[in-house]
């Protein structure tokens, strides 16, 4: 009888111990979830040409700011600016053109004194790796030699706007009209050329540098188009202005600039 009582006692003690362990495990999971939810999420709307550089920069920034989590949305600067105007959630805007940032600034959609230029770029003519197109300058382009030419949509994509300015300066814009294939952003233009769906294309030097499937034939002279400058700013409607400004500051820091230079930005 005593042995049976002792066995039951030990069994109850064991079950209580297991219950205690289960409770601790649950608490630990809850603590981890709480710790994760404590991070401030910073939403960055950025020009598509910044994709590779920003993706590399993200873990380094988050390591230095372990209470912040960065989320990106990439696209054409014009479309992103429209989204911000329409109230899309955003904390930081990184544009590939001053024009789109000016639009937001004129409408008080960016925080005062937060705007700063952080990079520059160049315009280049690219062709598929196996192309036989013999062009050494934008001035050498013969529309009759091309079936199609991929460029960004000039109305909403900065690289398309710079491209149009260049060809207008060279007196070629009208001659190229029936050759143009328009991309929704610079990365789509790059893809058209990489896949051979376009004989040639005009992209930023930084985008060409990311691809092993294209060759750069020529670089546009800076006087042919407006300066390709990248401004960044904190969005006025942000609820995380401190964290958003910290991200911009990191982008302008020595570490941020090293990453940008690695990907072909000036």
């Amino acid at each position: 009888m005593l042995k049976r009582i002792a066995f039951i006692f030990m069994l109850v003690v064991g079950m209580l111990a297991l219950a205690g362990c289960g409770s601790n495990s649950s608490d630990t999971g809850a603590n981890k979830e709480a710790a994760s939810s404590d991070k401030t999420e910073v939403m960055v709307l950025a020009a598509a040409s910044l994709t590779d550089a920003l993706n590399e920069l993200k873990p380094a920034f988050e390591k230095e700011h372990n209470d912040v989590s960065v989320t990106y949305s990439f696209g054409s600067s014009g479309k992103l600016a429209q989204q911000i105007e329409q109230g899309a959630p955003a904390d930081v805007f990184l544009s590939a053109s001053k024009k789109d940032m000016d639009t937001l600034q004129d409408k008080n959609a960016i925080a005062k004194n937060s705007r700063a230029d952080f990079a520059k770029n160049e315009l280049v003519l690219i062709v598929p790796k196996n192309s036989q197109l013999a062009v050494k300058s934008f001035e050498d382009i013969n529309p009759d030699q091309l079936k199609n030419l991929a460029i960004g949509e000039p109305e909403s994509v900065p690289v398309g706007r710079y491209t149009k300015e260049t060809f207008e300066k060279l007196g070629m814009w009208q001659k190229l009209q029936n050759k143009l294939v328009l991309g929704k952003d610079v990365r789509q233009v790059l893809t058209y050329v990489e896949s051979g769906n376009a004989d040639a294309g005009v992209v930023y030097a930084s985008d060409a540098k990311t691809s092993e499937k294209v060759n750069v034939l020529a670089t546009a002279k800076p006087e042919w188009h407006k300066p390709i400058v990248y401004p960044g700013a904190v969005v006025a409607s942000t609820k995380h202005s401190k964290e958003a400004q910290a991200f911009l500051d990191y982008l302008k820091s020595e570490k941020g600039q090293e990453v940008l230079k690695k990907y072909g930005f000036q």
Side-chain angles (χ1 to χ4, degrees):
M1 183 69 176
L2 289 174
K3 288 183 179 180
R4 184 176 181 182
I5 293 173
F7 173 78
I8 293 172
F9 175 77
M10 294 297 292
L11 184 62
V12 171
V13 169
M15 291 176 67
L16 289 173
L18 286 172
C21 290
S23 176
N24 288 340
S25 175
S26 176
D27 288 345
T28 301
N31 288 338
K32 286 181 179 179
E33 187 175 344
S36 177
S37 64
D38 284 343
K39 287 193 173 186
T40 299
E41 182 179 350
V42 172
M43 174 62 76
V44 178
L45 271 58
S49 53
L50 292 163
T51 300
D52 297 273
L54 291 186
N55 281 334
E56 178 166 327
L57 186 143
K58 173 181 161 72
F61 171 78
E62 290 180 341
K63 186 175 181 180
E64 286 195 16
H65 300 78
N66 55 20
D67 58 341
V68 178
S69 174
V70 177
T71 301
Y72 296 128
S73 178
F74 296 105
S76 72
S77 299
K79 293 288 178 63
L80 295 176
Q82 288 178 3
Q83 290 175 20
I84 292 172
E85 282 186 63
Q86 294 165 3
D91 302 298
V92 176
F93 177 45
L94 304 178
S95 175
S97 93
K98 288 187 173 185
K99 179 181 177 181
D100 298 303
M101 188 65 79
D102 289 343
T103 298
L104 293 184
Q105 186 169 341
D106 292 342
K107 297 183 179 182
N108 298 315
I110 60 173
K112 291 182 178 179
N113 302 320
S114 69
R115 178 174 175 171
D117 297 338
F118 62 89
K120 294 180 181 179
N121 220 327
E122 292 181 305
L123 208 61
V124 297
L125 178 70
I126 59 170
V127 293
K129 204 75 174 179
N130 60 353
S131 173
Q132 300 300 312
L133 187 65
V135 173
K136 295 182 179 180
S137 167
F138 274 73
E139 296 163 298
D140 295 336
I141 295 175
N142 181 352
D144 295 334
Q145 292 180 315
L146 298 173
K147 289 182 180 178
N148 44 46
L149 175 70
I151 71 168
E153 163 57 56
E155 297 302 315
S156 61
V157 184
V159 72
R161 196 178 306 136
Y162 299 128
T163 301
K164 180 180 179 181
E165 291 170 359
T166 296
F167 286 127
E168 284 181 334
K169 185 76 173 179
L170 297 175
M172 298 182 185
W173 181 243
Q174 293 304 321
K175 297 176 184 177
L176 289 166
Q177 287 305 295
N178 63 347
K179 307 286 185 176
L180 299 180
V181 177
L182 304 182
K184 66 179 181 179
D185 57 43
V186 68
R187 286 307 171 93
Q188 188 172 67
V189 176
L190 179 64
T191 300
Y192 284 153
V193 180
E194 287 179 325
S195 62
N197 288 319
D199 294 339
V202 182
V203 299
Y204 296 125
S206 59
D207 293 285
K209 189 171 183 178
T210 67
S211 176
E212 297 180 352
K213 299 178 181 180
V214 301
N215 285 329
V216 175
L217 297 188
T219 301
K221 294 180 180 179
E223 59 264 29
W224 292 344
H225 56 74
K226 291 179 181 177
I228 304 175
V229 177
Y230 287 67
V234 175
V235 177
S237 61
T238 181
K239 295 180 180 179
H240 313 297
S241 56
K242 179 182 176 183
E243 292 82 2
Q245 186 61 56
F247 181 83
L248 273 181
D249 290 342
Y250 190 85
L251 199 60
K252 295 181 292 177
S253 71
E254 185 176 344
K255 292 179 181 178
Q257 290 294 301
E258 284 179 2
V259 173
L260 288 167
K261 287 177 183 177
K262 175 182 175 181
Y263 286 92
F265 294 91
Q266 299 174 6

